[in-house]
Every structure is written in structure tokens, then in C-alpha cells.
Amino acid sequence: MTSEIDLDDFPILKLKHVHIKDKKHLLRTINTMLKDGSNSLQIVTDFDLTLTKQHVNGKKVLSSFGIFSKCKQLPETYAKESSRLYQKYRPIEIDPNLSVEIKTEAMTEWMIAAEEILKGIPFNPNEIPEISNMYEMYLRDGTKELLKKLHLAKVPVLVFSAGLGDIVEAILKSQGILFDNVKIISNFLKYEDGKLAGFQNERLIHVFNKNEHAIEQDYFKFLEGRKNVLLMGDTIGDASMVDGMMNDTCAVLKIGFLYDNVESSLASFMEKFDIVLVDDQTMQVPIDILQLLL
């Protein structure tokens, strides 16, 4: 880049649904990323309601766990109990009036309960790609385009999900975007004697402990020189996904997608993210920001 860009170069950032915390800081971050180039960039993104839409025509989309619950092999009792847990804990997760400590405790309880109701169910994993194909329309408009551009530019993408990794992997694979530059860290199913036995990782991943898992992953050893990060998420917990590697980063640009409880949640989102997109079911903002890099 021979000259620095300004907000006039990004008309999309002036739209009403786009909220920017600090315009000068944002421009400094973007200009640093552009100056350093794609060889210095990495992507860290959530999956559910981030790479996927938050709603389709006003109807909320299923999470990766929600999609899994549609598998025909699963007993009706599993679907009912999974739904009960969602109805109990999801309001806590998105309540802007609760502290992170209370939310963290609730999310831990949720994941432990979600693992317990899986155990002992006979299950053939061949159904997972089949059920995932039925929900391909859930990907955000532009998600495939963005991941293809990142692949061509050889930019590492970490999909950091508190959902069900098997579904995340199957959806990306079915859409032809599980490229060799994409790494998934999530909760993957464990099997014993043809039955579900919970999750593979001992420490279950939820939306408020992703940063702890990040520190433990060998993945970050391969990111030497990737000092600039574009982060995307849909909860305030997602904004902390790169906290474990902040000492090694130069510029971090955080984009938050907000749909639930907008009026009461916008302030807390603005504290955590550089850009907050209200009811934006596309990837157009990150695509426009990265267009000069990719």
C-alpha cells in the first residue's frame, strides 16, 4: 500500500446497521493489516451464528447441536432433553445483565449436561454428513466466497466452536470449503463399541472458555509471523478467543454479529468488538475490509 485508506474507502461501514467503537483505532488497525499483507494475517472465527446466519426470514437457525438433534437414530428423549437444556441455558448466555462469571458457570453446566445425555446412545456417524447436507442454506451469504478467497491467499483460518465439531466439519466439507488452511477446534463426539461416549476433549469448550483452550493448542505453533488477526463472533465471549495469544499479535480487528436483545446488548458488544453488525446475515463487511489483501 502506497497510501493509507480511510472510511470513505469502505462505504459499507457507513450503513446504519454498522456500529464502530473507535473509528481512528479501526482505521489504524486496517491500515496495519494492509501494510503487512496477507502473509501476516490469520482468521479466528466462531461457527454457529457467525459463519452461519442468525436467522432466515426471522426464524432462528439451528445450532450445530440443534442440527445433530435432528438425526433419526437419536431417541426422542435426547431431542427433548437437548431442547430443554437449550431453553434453560441459551437465555443466560445472551442476557446482557448477567456477569461473565455467572454465564461461565452456566455454560459449564450446560456442556456437562449436554455430554451426559449423549452417553450410551447407539449411533452410526454416517448420518452426520446426511443431516448436515439438509442445512447448507444456514451459511451466511458470502461465507463460501470469503473462505475461498482466504484459501487462495493461503491465510490460516481457525474455526473455534463451542458447538459440535462433527457437524461443523461436515457442513464445511459438504460445501467444499474445508480447505487445508482451515483448522477446527470444537467438541467432537467420542465412540465406544458403537455407542456415543461423550466428547473427545476432556475440557469441554463453551463460549466463555475458548481463550483457555487456545493456549493449549499446538495449532498456534504454526502461526509464527501471523501477527495480525481478524476475529469474528456472535457473543461477547467470542471476543476473547485470541486472548491467549495477544502478546504475539500486532493488530487485532474484532467483528461482532448481534441479533438477539439488540437494544440491551449493543453497549456490551461495543465494549468488546471494534465493529458490531446488527442483524447482518452476510459476510460483506469482512469481505470488503479484506478485499485489498485477498
Side-chain angles (χ1 to χ4, degrees):
M1 291 290 295
T2 56
S3 61
E4 293 194 343
I5 53 89
D6 57 35
L7 283 183
D8 290 333
D9 295 300
F10 300 101
I12 196 170
L13 295 182
K14 296 183 179 182
L15 298 180
K16 289 179 63 176
H17 76 286
V18 179
H19 300 264
I20 299 173
K21 178 168 60 177
D22 184 331
K23 292 179 181 179
K24 290 184 179 179
H25 174 75
L26 175 64
L27 286 172
R28 283 197 300 270
T29 301
I30 294 175
N31 277 300
T32 297
M33 289 180 164
L34 294 177
K35 176 175 62 70
D36 293 341
S38 60
N39 290 335
S40 295
L41 179 66
Q42 60 172 296
I43 309 296
V44 179
T45 179
D46 176 50
F47 181 78
D48 288 319
L49 311 183
T50 299
L51 291 186
T52 64
K53 296 178 180 179
Q54 293 161 307
H55 73 92
V56 176
N57 298 324
K59 183 177 180 180
K60 292 183 180 180
V61 304
L62 294 174
S63 66
S64 49
F65 274 110
I67 294 173
F68 175 71
S69 70
K70 299 297 183 181
C71 288
K72 295 179 180 179
Q73 296 177 75
L74 297 172
E76 186 178 345
T77 52
Y78 173 82
K80 286 183 176 179
E81 186 61 12
S82 179
S83 177
R84 185 190 71 81
L85 292 173
Y86 180 88
Q87 297 298 328
K88 177 180 179 180
Y89 289 107
R90 175 61 176 170
I92 298 175
E93 179 183 358
I94 63 176
D95 189 335
N97 300 312
L98 295 177
S99 67
V100 171
E101 291 75 20
I102 291 175
K103 290 186 176 188
T104 299
E105 182 178 353
M107 295 306 101
T108 302
E109 292 175 0
W110 189 2
M111 288 306 303
I112 292 173
E115 181 177 42
E116 285 301 313
I117 63 175
L118 285 170
K119 293 180 177 178
I121 298 176
F123 190 80
N124 184 334
N126 289 337
E127 188 178 1
I128 288 179
E130 298 173 9
I131 199 70
S132 297
N133 284 337
M134 298 172 60
Y135 295 94
E136 61 184 41
M137 78 292 293
Y138 280 4
L139 286 178
R140 275 182 191 276
D141 298 338
T143 290
K144 292 173 68 173
E145 176 188 350
L146 177 60
L147 289 180
K148 287 177 181 178
K149 288 178 179 290
L150 292 167
H151 175 242
L152 290 174
K154 299 181 180 179
V155 174
V157 178
L158 174 61
V159 180
F160 210 164
S161 173
L164 187 60
D166 305 72
I167 295 291
V168 174
E169 181 179 75
I171 289 178
L172 295 180
K173 187 177 294 184
S174 72
Q175 295 302 299
I177 49 177
L178 187 58
F179 300 114
D180 56 9
N181 64 315
V182 176
K183 166 75 173 178
I184 300 171
I185 297 179
S186 187
N187 301 295
F188 284 88
L189 293 170
K190 181 169 66 175
Y191 298 86
E192 291 179 3
D193 302 322
K195 296 180 179 180
L196 295 170
F199 301 119
Q200 294 178 19
N201 41 306
E202 292 184 9
R203 298 183 64 218
L204 305 180
I205 301 173
H206 58 72
V207 296
F208 291 101
N209 73 347
K210 291 181 179 180
N211 57 324
E212 298 171 21
H213 287 265
I215 298 171
E216 300 168 1
Q217 297 299 324
D218 291 338
Y219 173 82
F220 291 99
K221 295 178 183 178
F222 300 101
L223 295 177
E224 186 174 357
R226 299 279 178 176
K227 58 185 179 180
N228 299 328
V229 185
L230 176 70
L231 176 151
M232 297 183 291
D234 71 289
T235 71
I236 58 172
D238 289 333
S240 301
M241 288 189 290
V242 296
D243 282 5
M245 59 179 183
M246 289 296 281
N247 291 336
D248 300 319
T249 57
C250 179
V252 179
L253 173 56
K254 300 182 180 183
I255 299 177
F257 295 93
L258 175 59
Y259 178 63
D260 290 303
N261 303 329
V262 172
E263 191 171 318
S264 55
S265 298
L266 183 57
S268 59
F269 265 65
M270 291 290 286
E271 287 180 10
K272 298 292 185 179
F273 293 96
D274 299 297
I275 300 174
V276 179
L277 305 175
V278 174
D279 193 12
D280 185 338
Q281 306 308 311
T282 78
M283 276 292 174
Q284 202 55 55
V285 167
I287 287 174
D288 283 11
I289 289 175
L290 295 177
Q291 63 180 339
L292 296 176
L293 269 176
L294 307 179

